[in-house]
Amino acid sequence: MESRSMPVPEGLGGERVDAALAKLLGFSRTFAAEVAATGGVTADGVTLGKSDRLHADSWLEVTWQVKDAPVIEPVVVPDLTIVHDDDDIVVIDKPVGVAAHPSVGWTGPTVLGALAGAGFRISTSGAAERAGIVHRLDAGTSGLMVVAKSERAYTELKRAFHDREVSKIYHAVVQGHPDPLAGTIDAPIGRHPGSSWKFAVVRDGKDSVTHYETIEAFPSASLLEIHLETGRTHQIRVHMAAQRHPCVGDTMYGADPTISARLGLSRQWLHALELGFRHPGTGEDVTYRTTYPHDLQHALDVLRGD
């Protein structure tokens, strides 16, 4: 059996038990519900169900039976680059076509499989199939990810991402020219009402804030620098599409496929360029930066030649 005891953070007051455990311990919502169903969650000594709400500063105790970890098949991903590696973390430059971790319906390579193939040993905190994963990039998005290798790194990085203490800078090429050229999009994001695999700006969605600035303009598109204040699934793609400026190549969210074809793109032009946080081992502020992969650079070159 495993157990954790902690005060409920202020930011999780009012959250459902299953949602809160997903954020605090990296559980899937399904596994969190299973833990609650077996009586494994108490707050100030009172047993809670999955849909009960937590109160800030109450004392939370969670006990669960560790499941056998799913087999992470090692795989060689030649384009995956190790940007930094130490005892606590590994920072990678993830190529397109690689998911963060195994999930239902995904049969391609994963970050965990690629790291296993390269001989890395990753923290086993949280849900077994997501070991060490403290944040994600879409399979169709390239760029920087940090993966925890130690228990302390997993706990501290999960907290830092939850508390919005991580600096995340993306570059995106979007259709048209945003007006104003720089600004903030503050619009809640939730499941798309007409699709189980898309997201949208919806009234009862989660708080989502995106800051953008135009750094280069072309006749039919713009290169933006984007700072994420929150980290919702598909956040940049959804927010830009809601402004009628979808990421070039992002046909899921309304991009013009003729532009994608002209630029030779088979995915959205979106890259996680810079990642900064307090190192969980040394306590020092660290920042990592990468460059554009070949397909995005080629598309940019074509736009600059227009």
Side-chain angles (χ1 to χ4, degrees):
M1 298 288 286
E2 289 277 349
S3 63
R4 295 286 190 279
S5 299
M6 70 204 81
V8 175
E10 183 71 31
L12 290 184
E15 284 268 14
R16 285 171 52 111
V17 165
D18 52 0
L21 294 187
K23 294 173 181 177
L24 280 172
L25 300 175
F27 292 168
S28 66
R29 290 281 289 268
T30 300
F31 183 64
E34 292 176 3
V35 172
T38 61
V41 183
T42 65
D44 294 335
V46 178
T47 301
L48 303 179
K50 68 176 183 180
S51 59
D52 287 332
R53 303 283 174 170
L54 294 179
H55 297 285
D57 296 325
S58 61
W59 190 257
L60 183 68
E61 296 187 61
V62 186
T63 303
W64 70 95
Q65 181 68 47
V66 179
K67 292 185 175 182
D68 291 335
V71 177
I72 302 296
E73 294 292 343
V75 60
V76 175
V77 179
D79 293 337
L80 185 138
T81 302
I82 305 300
V83 175
H84 173 83
D85 174 42
D86 61 39
D87 290 342
D88 289 297
I89 62 172
V90 56
V91 179
I92 65 167
D93 189 353
K94 185 188 81 68
V96 66
V98 179
H101 53 68
S103 60
V104 177
W106 178 256
T107 58
T110 67
V111 168
L112 292 180
L115 288 174
F120 286 85
R121 183 176 179 180
I122 302 302
S123 164
T124 57
S125 290
E129 72 275 12
R130 303 180 185 183
I133 298 296
V134 294
H135 70 126
R136 293 176 293 175
L137 293 178
D138 299 338
T141 299
S142 53
L144 294 174
M145 281 184 63
V146 58
V147 179
K149 292 173 63 179
S150 68
E151 298 286 343
R152 69 175 177 180
Y154 182 85
T155 300
E156 178 57 24
L157 288 172
K158 286 288 287 186
R159 185 205 60 77
F161 275 98
H162 174 267
D163 293 347
R164 303 182 185 180
E165 296 177 358
V166 178
S167 171
K168 297 169 284 186
I169 299 177
Y170 292 71
H171 277 191
V173 172
V174 302
Q175 291 181 195
H177 307 116
D179 182 15
L181 295 177
T184 295
I185 304 169
D186 185 349
I189 291 176
R191 290 283 180 184
H192 193 290
S195 171
S196 60
W197 41 269
K198 290 174 63 176
F199 292 80
V201 171
V202 292
R203 181 174 299 177
D204 60 347
K206 294 182 178 179
D207 175 43
S208 306
V209 182
T210 301
H211 307 283
Y212 72 90
E213 178 181 359
T214 302
I215 55 178
E216 194 170 355
F218 315 103
S220 61
S222 303
L223 175 63
L224 308 183
E225 180 162 293
I226 295 175
H227 295 243
L228 284 186
E229 188 171 318
T230 53
R232 309 305 179 199
T233 303
H234 297 183
Q235 179 172 321
I236 295 172
R237 300 165 65 189
V238 170
H239 271 173
M240 298 317 302
Q243 302 298 308
R244 300 189 178 182
H245 297 291
C247 294
V248 168
D250 192 2
T251 53
M252 178 186 292
Y253 287 104
D256 184 345
T258 63
I259 297 178
S260 309
R262 184 169 67 86
L263 300 180
L265 280 177
S266 58
R267 51 104 164 202
Q268 64 265 17
W269 205 115
L270 181 59
H271 187 66
L273 188 75
E274 185 175 303
L275 188 62
F277 50 89
R278 186 177 298 275
H279 192 286
T282 67
E284 297 177 353
D285 290 332
V286 292
T287 300
Y288 303 98
R289 191 176 176 91
T290 184
T291 56
Y292 303 147
H294 174 75
D295 61 335
L296 301 189
Q297 185 63 58
H298 171 76
L300 203 55
D301 292 342
V302 173
L303 287 169
R304 286 171 174 158
D306 284 351

